[in-house]
Amino acid sequence: MLLNELDEYIRLMNLAEASSANNAPAPEVRVAILGDHATQRLCKIVEACLLERGYRPLIYEGSFDAIGIEARSPALQEFQPEFVYLAICVQRVRERFYALHAVDQAQLSEVYASELRELIVALSKPGRTVVINTLALPAERQFGNYSLFTEQSFYTIILKLNALLLEVARQSGALLNDVMHLASQVGTDHFFDDRFWTISRLMCRNQFLPRLAASLADQIATVGGKVIKCIVLDLDNTLWGGEIGDDGLEGICLGESGAGEAFLRFQQYLLCLRNRGLLLAVCSKNEQETARLPFREHPCMVLKEEHISIFLANWKSKAENIEQIAKVLNIGLDSLLVLDDSPFERGQIRSRLADVRVPDLPADILEWIPFLENKNYFEVIALSSVDQNRGLLYEQEAERGAEFLRYDDI
């Protein structure tokens, strides 16, 4: 895994270096990155990630470890960023923690959060989004497991500070980039390298900068309206193991134990996404009645017909059916995510529908949920009752324009 992370870092750095020769038309986005650590490489990777999301990024890199000064600088005001990213790191908090007496160490979380709140207020303007990151959990636990019980523990200070940052973001309207989660994905033993910090003031190893940059780029794209609205699902070997047409209802793999548990868990994951407002559609090469049989009669089926906004099972090309799904729902092709186990079908869809996102799913379904989470396809910046009911609104709109929604073959 670590080798692949390094390859991705190199690829994105090369893409950023080559971006000056790319004159393709794209919407401009202005991003300021203000850090308490060295951010040159992070700025390059953010630029590359935004290029891949269809933007022409203009990046303002703040002076080294001068967030407070930069937040009020004329140069930043002249740049007029649409997004300001406050890139903070746990190493700087550690320096302050060790410089304090024990009684003051316990107050560091509140002091630090208050300072950051003032910065966010100073940076906030109409038409501008401020993003700040949570902090990766430190290796230091001088009290062992008891560290969780005492505010003399640096580990607990960071846990508390992350909780306070959440409240600061809620109150100020800022967004949180969850670096604590990103670091936990790879493990802090891999994420940090004190040699990088000591020599170059780099917050983490270079190969993990793409994770951080991609997370920020996804938030920027989401603010700009580039979001997944509908997940288009294959059936055989995607929602269950085996082929319903050949294996029959009792022969497909789906259940609460054994190999079928992975498919059941994947359906539970999809239902949660549906409940938070994403649409689910079916696009399967199958007979209608055969394809619907598990939804109607299999006892372990989590997804039911009522959860599926459009159900297409026929022998047309999947690309043609996917175009029809977008048309009926009145959403852009770039709002669709297609999940299909077949490399051949994925290739066919990509060759015809370049705007549709069609990831190469791992061969093992047990890896699908972590894979999709790492890709961060389902980023949101807020969640309301309107968002959660959006699926119903789309379905009602589609029903007004097409009586065949869900029930008839198109």
Side-chain angles (χ1 to χ4, degrees):
M1 181 188 72
L2 298 184
L3 180 60
N4 291 336
E5 301 268 7
L6 186 57
D7 288 343
E8 179 68 357
Y9 167 77
I10 294 170
R11 184 186 72 82
L12 290 172
M13 285 294 285
N14 290 336
L15 176 61
E17 293 297 331
S19 65
S20 59
N22 184 2
N23 296 318
E28 180 182 280
V29 62
R30 307 175 75 87
V31 181
I33 298 178
L34 313 181
D36 61 6
H37 54 278
T39 58
Q40 298 95 326
R41 295 174 184 177
L42 174 61
C43 288
K44 286 293 185 183
I45 300 296
V46 169
E47 180 183 355
C49 288
L50 288 171
L51 283 167
E52 291 196 321
R53 284 153 181 78
Y55 289 101
R56 182 165 65 89
L58 299 178
I59 306 294
Y60 175 99
E61 183 186 356
S63 302
F64 171 74
D65 194 20
I67 294 179
I69 296 172
E70 286 285 357
R72 299 167 176 84
S73 72
L76 182 69
Q77 301 310 315
E78 183 179 350
F79 180 71
Q80 295 184 336
E82 300 163 71
F83 296 87
V84 177
Y85 178 41
L86 300 180
I88 60 175
C89 69
V90 70
Q91 292 93 330
R92 287 298 186 197
V93 187
R94 180 176 62 190
E95 291 174 353
R96 287 181 61 171
F97 178 81
Y98 286 148
L100 295 172
H101 295 294
V103 64
D104 296 319
Q105 287 176 339
Q107 305 303 316
L108 182 57
S109 297
E110 288 84 354
V111 172
Y112 215 88
S114 178
E115 293 172 358
L116 292 170
R117 183 184 293 106
E118 291 179 6
L119 281 173
I120 292 172
V121 170
L123 287 164
S124 296
K125 295 183 180 300
R128 177 185 295 173
T129 301
V130 178
V131 184
I132 188 168
N133 60 263
T134 59
L135 298 164
L137 296 178
E140 295 94 336
R141 291 198 315 156
Q142 292 93 333
F143 297 84
N145 288 308
Y146 190 74
S147 295
L148 293 167
F149 291 88
T150 173
E151 293 189 351
Q152 293 181 24
S153 161
F154 179 53
Y155 184 83
T156 297
I157 290 297
I158 297 303
L159 283 173
K160 187 175 180 180
L161 180 52
N162 280 336
L164 290 171
L165 285 175
L166 174 60
E167 290 306 310
V168 168
R170 281 175 173 163
Q171 294 166 10
S172 66
L175 299 181
L176 277 182
N177 189 3
D178 196 359
V179 169
M180 180 176 70
H181 169 70
L182 299 177
S184 70
Q185 285 181 310
V186 299
T188 53
D189 288 346
H190 294 301
F191 189 75
F192 292 121
D193 190 324
D194 278 341
R195 289 170 296 181
F196 281 89
W197 176 255
T198 302
I199 296 170
S200 304
R201 290 298 185 260
L202 297 176
M203 67 165 289
C204 66
R205 296 176 189 262
N206 286 331
Q207 62 258 47
F208 301 124
L209 289 177
R211 288 177 179 258
L212 193 158
S215 180
L216 176 61
D218 287 335
Q219 289 181 298
I220 291 172
T222 301
V223 172
K226 295 187 176 185
V227 295
I228 295 295
K229 297 177 181 178
C230 178
I231 305 173
V232 181
L233 300 163
D234 179 41
L235 296 180
D236 293 333
N237 295 307
T238 300
L239 292 189
W240 53 73
E243 299 181 4
I244 185 64
D246 295 334
D247 302 321
L249 192 64
E250 295 181 357
I252 61 173
C253 184
L254 178 65
E256 297 179 349
S257 62
E261 184 180 354
F263 292 97
L264 184 143
R265 191 180 308 131
F266 185 57
Q267 288 194 31
Q268 291 171 331
Y269 176 75
L270 292 169
L271 183 58
C272 285
L273 291 172
R274 195 259 185 192
N275 289 341
R276 54 140 273 201
L278 290 178
L279 301 173
L280 301 181
V282 162
C283 179
S284 173
K285 285 188 174 179
N286 239 312
E287 298 294 338
Q288 275 280 334
E289 290 303 311
T290 303
R292 293 176 183 275
L293 189 60
F295 291 86
R296 294 171 175 173
E297 298 187 21
H298 199 290
C300 294
M301 220 31 210
V302 174
L303 295 177
K304 305 297 183 182
E305 284 181 289
E306 60 264 26
H307 299 137
I308 307 301
S309 297
I310 298 181
F311 198 118
L312 297 187
N314 54 43
W315 301 103
K316 297 178 183 179
S317 75
K318 289 198 172 183
E320 183 179 350
N321 280 334
I322 290 166
E323 285 182 306
Q324 190 65 52
I325 288 170
K327 180 180 178 180
V328 171
L329 292 174
N330 194 25
I331 59 178
L333 289 169
D334 60 353
S335 299
L336 301 179
L337 175 70
V338 177
L339 302 182
D340 195 308
D341 70 292
S342 168
F344 173 79
E345 294 291 356
R346 295 196 298 257
Q348 290 288 305
I349 296 166
R350 285 197 203 100
S351 66
R352 178 166 166 176
L353 306 175
D355 290 339
V356 176
R357 281 177 262 195
V358 191
D360 283 324
L361 296 169
D364 188 347
I365 190 175
L366 288 168
E367 300 176 13
W368 286 13
I369 294 176
F371 171 84
L372 293 172
E373 286 296 314
N374 285 337
K375 291 290 186 181
N376 201 28
Y377 286 119
F378 312 119
E379 182 71 43
V380 292
I381 58 171
L383 189 63
S384 66
S385 59
V386 174
D387 297 312
Q388 291 173 310
N389 292 324
R390 184 168 288 116
L392 178 60
L393 296 176
Y394 275 114
E395 289 172 16
Q396 289 172 343
E397 179 180 348
E399 284 172 347
R400 286 193 295 269
E403 295 180 359
F404 44 69
L405 182 67
R406 281 205 207 103
Y407 296 108
D408 296 327
D409 188 4
I410 296 175

